[in-house]
Amino acid sequence: MKALRALLVATAIAAAFGVAAIAPRAQEYDFDKPPVEPLDPVDLGIKIYKELGNCVSCHGWNGNGGNGVMLPDGGMLDAAPSFARSTMTRDEMIEIVSCGKLIPGNVMPSFREYAWTPQFPCGGKTEADVPGDQRPFIWEIPLYPEEVEAVVDWVIMAYQGKEFTLELCQRYYGPESRGCDLLK
Ligand code: HEC
């Protein structure tokens, strides 16, 4: 899983900065992403945050935005915002996770399956209306709508308007991990 994560980050960043040609949409392939796993919704949210969506690479394990992400050329992306200070509603979060947002020097990718297509236009627009360098790049592993909701619910429950707790950290990393030592 580490290798997949590293690959995802590298691809995401390369795509964001035009380092490599933007990969075709994953859903154009015969992509064998399994159906939503029958996980508890909290565990599903965690799994997406850590693995499928790799939100952690930009937003950090404790949701504080981390230190920014290193680019292939050694430069750094700005840190993503801390969720502790987020004032977004659940619907607004679902919107930004689905469609993404491009800002100077940084990007929140677009995650939802079919985002920016006629099936799920973003701001009323599709890929055909907005050139690739003027919209957020589309994550290679698209998330199903219920996966977007699960990860947003994790963000709200674990991070928004609060400090990450030891209890939720241990759910995130597993009780044996020392990743939560800082919170003890
Ligand atoms: C490549 C880095 C990156 C990745 C990966 C990423 N984000 Fe973001 N995210 C950002 C940036 C940068 C912003 C700030 C956009 C802005 O300034 O409005 C942001 C903003 C957000 C916001 C809005 C916060 C607020 O109140 O303004 C939410 C919610 C969010 N991200 C959730 C997620 C989730 C959930 C995932 C994984 C499915 C994810 N992000 C993956 C970079 C990233």
Side-chain angles (χ1 to χ4, degrees):
M1 190 44 73
K2 276 223 169 81
L4 173 64
R5 183 189 297 185
L7 175 73
L8 283 176
V9 175
T11 321
I13 288 163
F17 287 82
V19 182
I22 294 183
R25 305 174 66 87
Q27 54 260 56
E28 280 166 17
Y29 290 120
D30 181 17
F31 185 75
D32 62 350
K33 185 180 164 203
V36 174
E37 293 182 48
L39 286 176
D40 172 282
V42 176
D43 293 323
L44 178 64
I46 291 174
K47 190 177 168 71
I48 291 161
Y49 193 86
K50 281 165 81 171
E51 296 170 10
L52 282 184
N54 202 0
C55 319
V56 61
S57 63
C58 294
H59 288 285
W61 61 282
N62 57 4
N64 75 356
N67 300 311
V69 172
M70 178 135 4
L71 299 171
D73 68 2
M76 295 287 289
L77 275 184
D78 295 346
S82 164
F83 291 129
R85 301 208 179 159
S86 175
T87 54
M88 280 194 183
T89 64
R90 183 174 187 270
D91 283 349
E92 287 167 341
M93 285 195 182
I94 288 173
E95 166 72 20
I96 196 171
V97 174
S98 298
C99 286
K101 185 171 167 188
L102 191 62
I103 53 167
N106 219 338
V107 61
M108 164 67 194
S110 162
F111 285 91
R112 191 189 188 281
E113 62 168 352
Y114 305 122
W116 297 93
T117 74
Q119 265 166 286
F120 194 87
C122 285
K125 301 209 159 108
T126 70
E127 282 175 302
D129 305 319
V130 192
D133 60 355
Q134 289 169 36
R135 59 172 165 75
F137 69 94
I138 294 159
W139 200 252
E140 307 232 349
I141 302 180
L143 298 180
Y144 300 126
E146 51 275 48
E147 293 177 320
V148 172
E149 289 186 27
V151 75
V152 162
D153 287 338
W154 166 253
V155 167
I156 292 170
M157 181 178 89
Y159 308 126
Q160 189 178 26
K162 56 181 88 72
E163 298 276 319
F164 200 28
T165 63
L166 179 60
E167 191 196 348
L168 286 177
C169 182
Q170 286 177 335
R171 182 136 182 200
Y172 181 93
Y173 277 131
E176 304 302 323
S177 169
R178 298 196 55 206
C180 303
D181 280 4
L182 268 176
L183 300 177
K184 283 184 182 162

